[in-house]
Amino acid sequence: MSEQSTASERHARRPLLDRRRVLAALFPEVLLDGTPWRAQWRGHEDRLIVLYARVALVSSIVGQVLHHFLVDLPLELTPASRWATYRFGSSVFYALLLAATFLPRLQRGLWARAPLFLLTLVVSCLQALTVVWLPSVSYLYAFVFGVVGVLLLRQSAPTAVATLLAVFTCEWAFAWRHTDIHPARLFSVLTMAIGLVLLFRARMATDVRAFLTSRRERQAQQQLLATQVELDRVKTNFFTNVSHDLRTPLTLIIAPLEAMMSEAGGVSAEVRADLELMLRNAQRLLRQINTLLDLSRLDAKHEFLRLEDVDVVELLGSLVESGRPLAAQRHVSLALAVDGPVPPLPVDRDKLEKVVLNLLSNAIRFTDGTDARPGAVTVRCGVRGDRFFCSVEDTGIGIPDDQIERVFDRFHQVEGPAARGRGGTGIGLALVRQLAEFHMGSVAVRSRVGEGSCFTLELPTDRAAYPPERIDRRQEHQPVPVDRRRPAQPAAVALHLEGARPPPRPIRLTPSPATRASSGTRPLILVVDDNRELLDFVARQLADEFRVRVAERAAEALRMAAVEPPALVLSDVMMPGGSGTDLLRELRRDARLRHVPVILVTAKADLESKIENLREGADDYLAKPFSVAELRARIRSLLEKRKLAVELAEKNEYLAKLNFDLVLSKRQVFLETMEAFALAVEAKDPYTHGHSRRVSLLAERVARELGLSEAECETIRIAGILHDLGKIGTPEAVLVKPGKVTPEEYAIFKRHSQMGWRIVSAVKELDGVARAILHHHERFDGAGYPDGLAGMEIPPLSRVLAVCDTYDAMTSDRPYRAGIEHRLAVEEILRCSGSQLDPECVQAFLRLYEDAAPQFPDFPSGLHELANPDLLGGGAS
């Protein structure tokens, strides 16, 4: 029963599928429904149509002009004016259509087909009309132009046929019905034209399917690329996390071993030999981890070239010298040969060191020698053309011919009895090739079994050979000395082989007398790491010199630091529940803890991690595994720098306080000088006692009401005190005259603002005050003095002074009149708003004092006694 129902369902669905296929054959764009590429297809078609239209229009213009000169004129077609109008008139029309194709609106959608459709219609109809004018012309030309134009429109087959019929209808209306051409011929040609259109436009379905296929392939490639990128990211994270998990135990192996070997005595020679063996193998494991990390970063494209001009001969010489002790142990002579002068070259020093070290260590490891017949390893360098070369040649066991091609493959090791027991993991040469290629260079090998091998590295000598995307541009903007652990000869440790003598014993630094104080005054070190064993080990190593507290989480460390701020924080980076970088950010946000030095310890030794944490504010960066002696030295150095910084900050604070006191003293002297100037003015005009100081207070309050800055408020306060300073140069007969002044006296009086400006402008710091004084008698309507400024041309502070000066002048007694009450003064200010005074300043004044008169403090001065009329004009009795 179920099989019958399934069959019936398939039978019921079949007509629907058939209809869809038929619909897709007629209108191929249906295939794009449900895909994200329909808009892309339409945009692609629109661009093609616009291009076809421009080409067709240019061809039509050129064709019409050439036809006129090469056909019409030689054949002397009549009437000549009609043919000239036909050729050049149509050319002008085509030129307009050509210009229209550059309009953005006519480059998308149905509008993109409009110029080409009009061209097809006009050309076909004019060609059909030519048959009427000149019967010797074949009527097939009109059909040919119509078919070509319709095909260029890139429509579906039904739409193209409909367009062709529309063009034929127009041709019939314009021309065919006026000719004696038999309708059967026209119908025959039309049928052939429809067949041609259907034949060519049937390919549209193929074009759409090809478009879909290309887009799906591209999408698949993008997905594959995204998957590869994700795999690279996962792989890099895996190596990073694994390296963290391995570096921490290695720290707990190497650091105690170095501490034990640094003791002057206490261990026997046999125990020391065992310790040396353990240390060598731990360091060998560390080198393998670093190599794997380098490969993972190169695979994930997370590596960049840090180019610098390097003296490669000096660099190679130091590397060769660092390998001499190991070469001597294996009875191998080591030499450096330089072919000609080698100028400084733009290279990545670190990567070049890694490449040469790998080649050099392999050459020594696979070369045997005796006292009677020593082996030889030669490092040769020079410049050939635009390439620098460095070859490492040995007289070792050689590489079989069938394995030379695979020698640079990852994890491949040369097979054979002679190669057994020499160690290696097969990743060193793989790193060499990837680093050389990343450095835009190459590495090659030639070898013969029993005679030795020669590895040759070539690098470009021109900085322009390096693509910009491979160069680390960050070094140009932030030259942070992140690689602080680089020794003078970075290759020395990398060349230790099995059976070789260990490196020189590290010297354990003893605490200085300054730091061996009592436990209460010793610096507090906060150590943070999620590994309890590492915490205990570091705490034991530091306990004899510092107070140590430990925390396993960043949050716990923050709580401890809040209770008692430490002198220094030593934190791991990769921790659960909050990284060392998160702890660093929180410390830098806390005002009490932002100055505490922070050393970050991590297994992520790549440059990007170092730069990121140094930008966050880390004071130092230490990669696992680390030396305890080095850790002690760095802690002492940072604590000493912190001590000096604190002392410097205290001295700066003391100097700042002294400077502030001097500024206050200078300000007080300045203000008292301003008061003295005001008293000097009052001495000449006792009726104005307190006027300058009242205007100063009013102006400052109005300025604050207007929202002016603090500096502007201070400037206008001083300007209020000094605004009448120029009256010092005005004769007393004019200042204290009881009656109306004459025009000549008024002209003398008006000079006081310019006189005040000259006096104050002599002090450079009072430039703003001087300008406010100069223009405080300007009127808003432009009828003021001295410069007749109007409106916004008047400085803002002068406009404020004008309102306040006007109010106080009206409410104060003068020799020629008595002061008016507050209400009348407010009404007068309102009346003068917009003519004499700035309306905005008037409104600000009224918001403060419309309802009540301003209150002023008492201005004590012995000069007010001079305002007594009995004392004026008498002198001594």
Side-chain angles (χ1 to χ4, degrees):
M1 186 70 179
S2 60
E3 293 180 358
Q4 293 178 356
S5 61
T6 303
S8 62
E9 290 176 0
R10 286 200 300 266
H11 181 72
R13 286 199 299 268
R14 188 173 300 161
L16 178 60
L17 294 176
D18 292 341
R19 286 195 296 271
R20 181 174 178 80
R21 289 174 183 170
V22 172
L23 189 62
L26 295 176
F27 302 98
E29 287 191 3
V30 174
L31 297 172
L32 296 169
D33 291 343
T35 68
W37 305 302
R38 188 179 185 88
Q40 294 182 21
W41 167 262
R42 287 181 175 175
H44 171 73
E45 290 291 287
D46 291 343
R47 288 191 294 272
L48 282 179
I49 292 168
V50 172
L51 177 61
Y52 292 164
R54 290 172 183 172
V55 173
L57 286 165
V58 171
S59 301
S60 300
I61 294 171
V62 174
Q64 291 286 22
V65 175
L66 292 179
H67 206 283
H68 174 73
F69 289 102
L70 300 180
V71 177
D72 297 349
L73 294 181
L75 294 179
E76 298 181 354
L77 298 180
T78 57
S81 58
R82 180 175 65 184
W83 291 100
T85 303
Y86 164 40
R87 302 299 182 190
F88 292 105
S90 60
S91 297
V92 172
F93 177 71
Y94 300 154
L96 293 175
L97 288 180
L98 179 62
T101 60
F102 291 93
L103 297 176
R105 185 68 182 88
L106 297 180
Q107 294 180 3
R108 297 186 300 272
L110 292 177
W111 288 104
R113 291 178 166 85
L116 187 54
F117 174 74
L118 289 175
L119 173 65
T120 303
L121 194 63
V122 172
V123 168
S124 300
C125 292
L126 289 178
Q127 190 62 36
L129 196 59
T130 302
V131 178
V132 179
W133 295 340
L134 194 64
S136 61
V137 177
S138 174
Y139 63 91
L140 294 177
Y141 286 133
F143 284 93
V144 170
F145 288 134
V147 170
V148 172
V150 169
L151 291 177
L152 291 178
L153 287 170
R154 299 182 65 83
Q155 298 169 311
S156 61
T159 309
V161 171
T163 304
L164 182 63
L165 292 176
V167 171
F168 177 76
T169 303
C170 292
E171 291 177 1
W172 174 267
F174 274 93
W176 303 139
R177 62 191 183 93
H178 302 297
T179 63
D180 56 356
I181 302 174
H182 199 281
R185 291 184 177 182
L186 297 176
F187 181 77
S188 175
V189 175
L190 178 61
T191 304
M192 185 179 298
I194 292 174
L196 288 173
V197 169
L198 291 175
L199 176 63
F200 282 98
R201 292 317 298 155
R203 289 182 50 84
M204 184 178 179
T206 305
D207 294 340
V208 172
R209 289 190 179 92
F211 176 82
L212 281 173
T213 301
S214 65
R215 288 301 181 272
R216 286 173 179 146
E217 289 177 353
R218 182 180 299 179
Q219 185 181 44
Q221 292 175 356
Q222 292 174 349
Q223 291 175 350
L224 181 62
L225 180 61
T227 303
Q228 185 65 36
V229 171
E230 179 64 17
L231 287 175
D232 289 339
R233 186 189 65 81
V234 172
K235 183 169 62 175
T236 302
N237 290 340
F238 169 76
F239 277 116
T240 302
N241 295 331
V242 167
S243 70
H244 177 268
D245 294 337
L246 293 178
R247 283 174 180 267
T248 300
L250 278 175
T251 303
L252 293 174
I253 295 173
I254 294 177
L257 286 174
E258 290 179 342
M260 294 173 65
M261 294 176 62
S262 67
E263 299 294 340
V267 294
S268 63
E270 293 80 6
V271 173
R272 179 174 293 277
D274 292 339
L275 293 177
E276 292 172 352
L277 178 63
M278 295 165 62
L279 181 60
R280 286 198 304 274
N281 283 276
Q283 290 172 341
R284 179 187 173 201
L285 178 58
L286 175 62
R287 291 195 300 274
Q288 301 298 338
I289 292 173
N290 290 337
T291 302
L292 285 173
L293 283 174
D294 289 337
L295 286 171
S296 68
R297 284 197 296 269
L298 286 170
D299 290 342
K301 295 180 175 58
H302 290 168
E303 195 64 58
F304 297 94
L305 292 172
R306 284 162 284 278
L307 298 179
E308 55 180 311
D309 291 332
V310 176
D311 187 344
V312 291
V313 175
E314 180 183 353
L315 176 63
L316 293 178
S318 66
L319 298 180
V320 169
E321 290 301 319
S322 67
R324 288 194 186 281
L326 299 177
Q329 293 179 43
R330 301 184 67 87
H331 303 286
V332 175
S333 65
L334 195 56
L336 172 64
V338 181
D339 294 346
V342 179
L345 302 176
V347 296
D348 188 317
R349 178 188 293 270
D350 182 64
K351 292 177 176 58
L352 181 59
E353 287 177 356
K354 290 179 180 178
V355 171
V356 176
L357 283 176
N358 271 285
L359 296 178
L360 191 57
S361 62
N362 281 348
I364 296 176
R365 189 172 63 201
F366 287 95
T367 302
D368 298 323
T370 62
D371 291 334
R373 189 178 180 182
V377 173
T378 303
V379 178
R380 186 179 303 276
C381 68
V383 176
R384 297 186 189 130
D386 61 348
R387 307 285 284 183
F388 163 77
F389 75 91
C390 174
S391 64
V392 180
E393 187 173 1
D394 62 70
T395 59
I397 63 175
I399 305 171
D401 293 339
D402 59 343
Q403 298 188 43
I404 286 183
E405 293 184 357
R406 299 182 56 200
V407 73
F408 293 108
D409 292 347
R410 198 171 298 185
F411 304 114
H412 174 75
Q413 291 181 305
V414 176
E415 299 176 356
R420 295 195 185 107
R422 298 182 183 270
T425 57
I427 59 176
L429 289 179
L431 178 62
V432 165
R433 182 174 65 178
Q434 286 197 243
L435 286 176
E437 293 176 350
F438 188 72
H439 217 295
M440 303 306 295
S442 62
V443 62
V445 58
R446 54 182 174 83
S447 179
R448 294 188 66 177
V449 176
E451 296 183 8
S453 306
C454 180
F455 289 82
T456 302
L457 168 72
E458 289 191 357
L459 297 176
T461 59
D462 187 3
R463 187 183 292 264
Y466 297 98
E469 62 271 12
R470 289 195 184 182
I471 299 177
D472 186 3
R473 298 296 182 186
R474 293 168 298 185
Q475 60 185 344
E476 300 175 3
H477 307 292
Q478 187 173 353
V480 182
V482 295
D483 197 2
R484 306 182 187 182
R485 299 190 65 193
R486 183 188 300 279
Q489 292 183 354
V493 176
L495 288 177
H496 288 289
L497 308 175
E498 292 77 357
R501 287 192 296 271
R505 294 183 305 171
I507 299 175
R508 181 166 184 172
L509 300 176
T510 56
S512 62
T515 57
R516 283 192 176 276
S518 63
S519 61
T521 59
R522 289 187 299 174
L524 173 62
I525 308 298
L526 178 58
V527 185
V528 190
D529 199 298
D530 59 325
N531 187 294
R532 189 69 201 184
E533 294 178 343
L534 184 59
L535 278 178
D536 295 340
F537 172 74
V538 174
R540 287 197 307 271
Q541 295 297 318
L542 300 179
D544 61 341
E545 188 175 354
F546 311 101
R547 289 188 299 135
V548 182
R549 289 188 179 179
V550 297
E552 297 185 24
R553 296 291 185 272
E556 181 184 358
L558 283 172
R559 288 194 296 270
M560 290 184 176
V563 174
E564 182 180 1
L568 183 141
V569 175
L570 177 67
S571 174
D572 188 18
V573 173
M574 300 176 65
M575 296 185 295
S579 67
T581 306
D582 298 331
L583 173 61
L584 175 63
R585 294 193 187 103
E586 293 299 326
L587 290 174
R588 294 298 179 248
R589 291 193 188 105
D590 193 324
R592 295 176 59 231
L593 305 174
R594 66 179 52 172
H595 302 298
V596 174
V598 178
I599 299 178
L600 292 180
V601 183
T602 182
K604 297 176 67 176
D606 57 288
L607 182 63
E608 290 77 10
S609 301
K610 292 181 181 181
I611 291 179
E612 176 189 357
N613 288 288
L614 287 170
R615 282 176 175 168
E616 293 290 344
D619 296 273
D620 209 341
Y621 200 89
L622 202 58
K624 295 180 181 178
F626 55 83
S627 167
V628 175
E630 181 183 8
L631 176 61
R632 285 174 176 271
R634 294 190 182 219
I635 291 176
R636 288 196 192 106
S637 176
L638 285 177
L639 290 179
E640 187 64 24
K641 289 179 181 178
R642 174 60 181 154
K643 179 183 176 182
L644 293 176
V646 170
E647 292 177 356
L648 181 62
E650 291 175 351
K651 292 180 179 179
N652 286 337
E653 183 179 359
Y654 175 72
L655 292 175
K657 185 176 183 302
L658 284 180
N659 183 61
F660 183 70
D661 292 342
L662 289 174
V663 170
L664 289 181
S665 176
K666 180 180 177 181
R667 174 185 172 85
Q668 185 63 30
V669 171
F670 177 75
L671 293 178
E672 289 175 357
T673 303
M674 298 302 102
E675 293 285 343
F677 277 138
L679 290 175
V681 174
E682 292 179 7
K684 296 198 67 175
D685 187 7
Y687 280 98
T688 62
H689 166 62
H691 169 70
S692 295
R693 283 170 284 184
R694 288 194 300 272
V695 171
S696 173
L697 290 176
L698 285 176
E700 183 180 5
R701 293 170 186 172
V702 173
R704 295 188 185 280
E705 179 68 20
L706 288 170
L708 300 185
S709 67
E710 194 65 31
E712 291 174 314
C713 293
E714 178 69 10
T715 299
I716 200 169
R717 191 175 75 83
I718 297 173
I721 294 176
L722 301 178
H723 76 284
D724 279 341
L725 181 61
K727 290 182 179 179
I728 292 178
T730 304
E732 294 184 15
V734 177
L735 285 177
V736 298
K737 184 177 181 178
K740 186 176 181 180
V741 295
T742 65
E744 292 78 12
E745 292 172 333
Y746 184 60
I748 295 174
F749 177 81
K750 289 196 299 182
R751 297 173 188 167
H752 80 276
S753 60
Q754 292 173 301
M755 179 68 71
W757 170 75
R758 291 195 194 97
I759 296 173
V760 176
S761 62
V763 182
K764 183 177 180 181
E765 290 78 5
L766 298 182
D767 182 63
V769 175
R771 281 187 283 108
I773 293 173
L774 177 64
H775 299 293
H776 78 280
H777 278 298
E778 303 283 0
R779 290 173 57 98
F780 201 72
D781 57 7
Y785 62 87
D787 296 329
L789 302 182
M792 297 298 121
E793 295 177 348
I794 306 172
L797 301 187
S798 300
R799 284 179 264 145
V800 175
L801 274 179
V803 174
C804 302
D805 186 32
T806 300
Y807 172 81
D808 193 75
M810 290 189 294
T811 56
S812 301
D813 293 333
R814 294 300 169 93
Y816 49 86
R817 60 156 177 82
I820 62 176
E821 62 181 22
H822 169 72
R823 178 181 58 82
L824 297 177
V826 168
E827 291 177 356
E828 182 64 17
I829 286 177
L830 271 174
R831 187 184 67 81
C832 295
S833 177
S835 56
Q836 178 183 346
L837 305 174
D838 179 7
E840 185 179 1
C841 297
V842 169
Q843 291 301 318
F845 180 86
L846 293 179
R847 286 196 297 270
L848 293 172
Y849 304 117
E850 184 175 12
D851 298 327
Q855 301 296 319
F856 301 103
D858 184 27
F859 299 120
S861 173
L863 297 174
H864 73 279
E865 297 176 358
L866 299 176
N868 189 337
D870 297 334
L871 299 178
L872 291 177
S877 59

